[in-house]
Amino acid sequence: MAKRRANGEGTIYWSEKRQEYIAQVKVGIDENGKPKRKTIYGRTQAEVKEKLVQIRFDIHTGTFNDESQITIYQLGKQIIDEDYNLNYVKENTYRTNLDTLKRLQQIYNTPLQKSTETQIKHFLLQEQNYSQSIIDKDYGMLKRIFKEAVKRK
């Protein structure tokens, strides 16, 4: 007989339509009092179960970050810190990248999923007072942030 999971431990099931395993776990409660769920996909049940355990661990330790609320600044800072910690960039480049991120201040508190093309274009149009190299750095930083966001889903 299959072991039954307790409340809050999540659920794992096979999707015929997607031809993969799907797991869901409750990660919090939204402003309307309804449960917020995180959905995980994988080819094997073990893979999905491992991801589910990691998310539950992150929730328990307080390190879980709901992707729907992650801001441009948060993801940019993660990318810059990761590059520095992995020795991809030296300290001067790290500081330059932080300065570039700081210039995005008008839009960096916007959640990634709520940012719009119009908002980004408006920001870039306001930067016409800066040199082309500064605009290129800001554009490159935004491009990298959104590319990483797509990669992370």
Side-chain angles (χ1 to χ4, degrees), residues 25-29 35-39 55 59 64 66:
V25 65
K26 182 180 163 187
V27 294
I29 297 175
K36 289 170 64 176
R37 291 182 181 90
K38 170 78 175 159
T39 304
I55 288 174
I59 291 169
F64 179 75
D66 186 8

Side-chain angles (χ1 to χ4, degrees), residues 90-149:
K90 298 198 189 262
E91 190 172 345
N92 283 342
T93 307
Y94 174 72
R95 278 192 255 126
T96 302
N97 289 342
L98 286 176
D99 289 342
T100 301
L101 186 61
K102 197 180 284 186
R103 276 195 306 276
L104 304 178
Q105 189 169 14
Q106 291 177 341
I107 58 170
Y108 75 23
N109 286 326
T110 308
L112 280 165
Q113 292 188 348
K114 293 184 179 172
S115 61
T116 62
E117 182 181 0
T118 307
Q119 181 186 29
I120 302 301
K121 283 182 179 177
H122 180 70
F123 168 74
L124 291 172
L125 285 172
Q126 287 181 335
E127 287 208 320
Q128 289 180 340
N129 299 338
Y130 293 107
S131 68
Q132 188 61 43
S133 66
I134 295 291
I135 295 171
D136 289 344
K137 286 177 187 173
D138 292 352
Y139 176 78
M141 178 67 71
L142 282 170
K143 183 177 176 182
R144 185 161 181 217
I145 289 169
F146 284 106
K147 189 174 183 179
E148 182 68 24

Side-chain angles (χ1 to χ4, degrees), residues 10 40 49 54 128:
I40 306 142
K49 196 173 193 176
Q54 181 62 46
Q128 289 180 340

Side-chain angles (χ1 to χ4, degrees), residues 2-115:
K3 180 184 166 232
R4 183 170 166 88
R5 285 182 171 68
N7 285 341
E9 284 190 0
T11 182
I12 299 175
Y13 60 94
W14 173 256
S15 171
E16 285 292 331
K17 183 178 179 182
R18 294 180 63 109
Q19 291 295 303
E20 62 186 347
Y21 283 94
I22 299 175
Q24 289 186 324
V25 65
K26 182 180 163 187
V27 294
I29 297 175
D30 68 7
E31 57 275 353
N32 297 328
K34 295 188 177 192
K36 289 170 64 176
R37 291 182 181 90
K38 170 78 175 159
T39 304
I40 306 142
Y41 303 95
R43 283 190 252 169
T44 66
Q45 191 171 7
E47 177 186 348
V48 171
K49 196 173 193 176
E50 184 179 313
K51 291 178 184 178
L52 189 65
V53 167
Q54 181 62 46
I55 288 174
R56 285 200 327 250
F57 176 77
D58 290 346
I59 291 169
H60 182 70
T61 58
T63 58
F64 179 75
N65 195 357
D66 186 8
E67 287 91 4
S68 66
Q69 296 302 317
I70 193 164
T71 64
I72 292 171
Y73 175 78
Q74 289 171 329
L75 185 56
K77 182 82 164 89
Q78 283 177 11
I79 293 168
I80 292 169
D81 288 345
E82 189 175 284
D83 284 353
Y84 182 67
N85 292 333
L86 294 173
N87 288 326
Y88 292 151
V89 297
K90 298 198 189 262
E91 190 172 345
N92 283 342
T93 307
Y94 174 72
R95 278 192 255 126
T96 302
N97 289 342
L98 286 176
D99 289 342
T100 301
L101 186 61
K102 197 180 284 186
R103 276 195 306 276
L104 304 178
Q105 189 169 14
Q106 291 177 341
I107 58 170
Y108 75 23
N109 286 326
T110 308
L112 280 165
Q113 292 188 348
K114 293 184 179 172
S115 61

